[in-house]
Structure formats: C-alpha cells, structure tokens
C-alpha cells in the first residue's frame, strides 16, 4: 500500500495544526486542431503581413478549429490522452475542472459536456473563468481537493476556441489567438515526493476595461444592437495589457521563489503564458533567466488562452525536457486582470 506524502498547515481561524496530503501531476496531454493558419494565410483577408505579426508578437502560425468544433471537444481529446498516458479508465476520475472563457454555451458547463464525452460517469465538475490565468487557477484549485483527501483523481483542463470570439476585421486582436487544449491528472504524492509545492494567485478588477468581451452577459444581453456594435468579440488595449503583464508575471514569479527559498537557477523549466513573445522576453530579462530554461511555443500556436501553459507542459514532457525531481514554475497573466504562479516538482 502506497504511503502518501503529507505536510502541515495551520488553520488561520483556530490555529489548529492540519495534516494535508500533497498533490502531484501524474499525467499530461494536449490536443490541437489539425488546421494550420499561417500569417501569410491571414494576410489574404486581413490587412496585415507575416513580418508585421511576427515582429510584434513572435507568432508564425496558429491552429483553428473547424466550424462546429467546440471547447468541450478539444478538452475531451486532451483528457483522453491524459487517461491513455496514465493507463486508467475515465470512470476513475472524481472531479473535472475546466478552465475556459469560451465555453460551448452558458450552461450546462463545458466540464459536464467533457464528463459525458469521455465517460467519466463518477465525476462531478465545473468551469472556471480566469481568462489566460485560468489553468493556473484551476490547477491550484484542483490540488486542494487532493490535499484534503476529498478526491483521489482530479482532471484539470485548460481549453479555448478563441477564434470563435475574434473579429477578423480587427488586425490588432485577430492575429494573436489560436485554438487548443491541454490537461493534467492530479493525484496524491507519495512519501518523499513534493509535487505541487506552492502557488500565488492574484486579481485586480480595475484592469477589467483593458481586455474583455462586452456582449452576451447579463450587463449586455445578446441583441441585434450588441451584434451590430460587434460586442461579442475580444476587445483589448494592448499597451496597458503589455505593461501590466510584464510586471505582474515577473514579480509574482520572483515572489514565489523567495517564499520557497529557491533561486531562479534552481528552476529547470519556466512556463509562462504564451501571449506575446515580447512579454515573455521582458519577463525573462527581469528574472535574469536563460532562454534554455523557458518554454516557448507561441510561434506555432499563438495565444490559446487557458490552453497555453498545459500545452507547453505536455510538449516538455513529450520531449523529455523535464525529468524526475526537476523544479517547474508556471506564470500567467490575463483579463481581469488576473495573474498567478505555481511551483511544483516533476515526480514522474
């Protein structure tokens, strides 16, 4: 019988010493639509060019889902790859948390739709809206269910079909995004394993007007007027997002390292949200980080929102870029504003 790693935490309310299990990632997987759309392809119907896009973003191409393919479809594909990698049946999953800003519909949740598509008959689930920080938020949330002993197997998915909410007449935003999904399985760590070590999560609602989609919710319900005003598309103030993203990701990454008495040199792989190569490089410079430590795939997939970090992690595992006992640090920044970091040790 496996012995599980535990750590102690004081209950802030009563001062009682709690014994909690540690959570670890035991499997990863990702899925990307087959259709590749290059910058030159976009230039055929958008006033742009490969040079203009690449110089400003680092993007060369992106994947676009076919019409009728929804977020739950991408999420289910990524989830199935996780199950195959772990060698378990979907019926063993206790909980599904799906991070997304492009759910199939308002309700039911896309997590419920994924549950049905993969046959996870025992699982409950919910969607989490954290924009580009959604996966980090969801991973931290899922870890709590493992740590408390409430669940044994938690599936965490980051998936978005961002092209479904893009205005292809707005070259400032339509060139930035793509579609994709990544997923991980969380289970209890065994004795001697650290797994998920720590996380820091933040939000600042005063930044809400810099990156948002105004139409479709309770404030501006769908109507002829909201459609005519193009309110169902992404709206972004790029300069303000850039400024806050660089500072936010760098500072919270440094904060979590200091809190855990680690140096940037201790990190084998830094996985930043893939929004813009300039943002990634600026954060790297602030952290004094070598490029060999950083996961970058924005050139291939653009910004898949909640999908970027798990897709990067999955590719790193596939290429054996991380090995057992390596420290991995994730950092994100997104609409809200939301931002966060999560530190873990790869135990597989």
């Amino acid at each position: 019988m496996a012995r599980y790693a535990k750590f102690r935490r004081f209950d802030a309310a009563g001062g009682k010493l709690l014994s909690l299990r540690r959570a670890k990632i035991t499997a990863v997987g990702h899925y990307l639509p087959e259709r590749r759309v290059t910058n030159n392809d976009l230039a055929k119907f958008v006033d742009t060019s490969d040079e203009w896009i690449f110089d400003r973003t680092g993007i060369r191409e992106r994947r676009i889902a076919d019409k009728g393919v929804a977020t739950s479809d991408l999420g289910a594909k990524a989830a199935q790859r996780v199950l195959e990698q772990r060698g378990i049946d979907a019926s063993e999953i206790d909980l599904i948390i799906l991070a997304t800003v492009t759910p199939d519909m308002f309700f039911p949740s896309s997590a419920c739709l994924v549950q049905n598509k993969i046959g996870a008959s025992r699982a409950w689930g919910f969607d989490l809206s954290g924009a580009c920080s959604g996966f980090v938020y969801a991973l931290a949330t899922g870890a709590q269910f493992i740590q408390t002993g409430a669940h044994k197997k938690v599936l965490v998915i980051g998936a978005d079909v961002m092209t479904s909410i893009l205005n292809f007449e707005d070259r400032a935003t339509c060139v930035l995004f793509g579609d994709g999904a990544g997923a991980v399985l969380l289970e209890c760590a065994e004795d001697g394993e650290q797994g998920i070590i720590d996380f820091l999560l933040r939000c600042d609602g005063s930044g809400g007007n810099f990156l948002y989609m105004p139409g479709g919710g309770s404030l501006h319900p769908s109507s002829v007027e909201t459609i005519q005003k193009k309110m169902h598309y992404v709206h972004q103030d790029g300069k303000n997002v850039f400024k806050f993203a660089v500072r936010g990701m760098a500072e919270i990454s440094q904060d979590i390292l200091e809190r855990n008495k680690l140096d940037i040199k201790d990190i084998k792989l830094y996985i930043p949200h893939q929004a813009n190569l300039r943002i990634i490089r600026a954060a790297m410079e602030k952290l004094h980080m070598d490029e060999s430590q950083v996961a970058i795939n924005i050139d291939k997939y653009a910004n898949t929102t909640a999908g970027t970090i798990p897709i990067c992690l999955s590719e790193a595992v596939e290429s054996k870029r991380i090995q057992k006992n390596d420290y991995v640090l994730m950092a994100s920044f997104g609409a809200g504003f939301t931002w966060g970091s999560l530190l873990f040790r790869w135990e597989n």
Side-chain angles (χ1 to χ4, degrees), residues 87-95 119-120 122 152-154 187:
I88 62 172
D89 188 79
S91 62
E92 296 185 46
I93 301 299
D94 299 304
L95 168 63
R122 291 181 52 253
K152 293 181 179 180
K153 291 180 172 62
V154 176
E187 297 182 75

Side-chain angles (χ1 to χ4, degrees), residues 322-347:
I322 54 175
Q323 304 290 329
K324 185 174 174 59
N325 296 327
D326 284 342
Y327 286 110
V328 180
L329 178 61
M330 299 173 172
S332 62
F333 189 91
F337 286 132
T338 60
W339 66 105
S341 61
L342 187 143
L343 175 69
F344 68 95
R345 194 171 73 171
W346 183 247
E347 302 291 358

Side-chain angles (χ1 to χ4, degrees), residues 188-201:
C188 193
E190 297 183 12
D191 275 352
E193 295 181 331
Q194 288 184 281
I196 293 178
I197 298 167
D198 197 7
F199 58 84
L200 291 173
L201 306 176

Side-chain angles (χ1 to χ4, degrees), residues 138-212:
L139 191 57
T141 301
Q144 309 310 297
F145 287 93
I146 299 295
Q147 289 177 359
T148 60
H151 293 316
K152 293 181 179 180
K153 291 180 172 62
V154 176
L155 189 61
V156 180
I157 304 168
D160 273 297
V161 180
M162 288 302 295
T163 57
S164 66
I165 57 171
L166 296 181
N167 177 5
F168 282 93
E169 295 177 357
D170 178 11
R171 73 169 185 171
T173 58
C174 74
V175 302
L176 302 177
F177 297 93
D179 305 330
V184 304
L185 181 66
L186 290 175
E187 297 182 75
C188 193
E190 297 183 12
D191 275 352
E193 295 181 331
Q194 288 184 281
I196 293 178
I197 298 167
D198 197 7
F199 58 84
L200 291 173
L201 306 176
R202 301 283 186 266
C203 76
D204 180 358
S206 67
N209 289 330
F210 297 129
L211 181 53
Y212 64 107

Side-chain angles (χ1 to χ4, degrees), residues 31-33 63 74-75 158-162 178-182 304 306-308 311:
Y31 178 78
L32 293 149
R63 301 294 183 89
L74 303 188
D160 273 297
V161 180
M162 288 302 295
D179 305 330
T304 56
T308 68
I311 292 170

Side-chain angles (χ1 to χ4, degrees), residues 44-62:
K44 294 175 183 176
F45 58 93
V46 178
D47 182 18
T48 189
S49 68
D50 175 64
E51 182 181 13
W52 189 92
I53 298 171
F54 184 74
D55 287 349
R56 287 162 176 77
T57 68
I59 298 167
R60 290 287 191 193
E61 62 182 41
R62 72 283 296 142

Side-chain angles (χ1 to χ4, degrees), residues 1 7 37 43 57 85 103 108 141-142 159 166-167 180 240 243 309 311 334:
M1 183 175 179
F7 67 99
V37 177
T57 68
Q85 185 185 118
T141 301
L166 296 181
N167 177 5
N240 274 299
K243 179 177 67 175
I309 288 177
I311 292 170

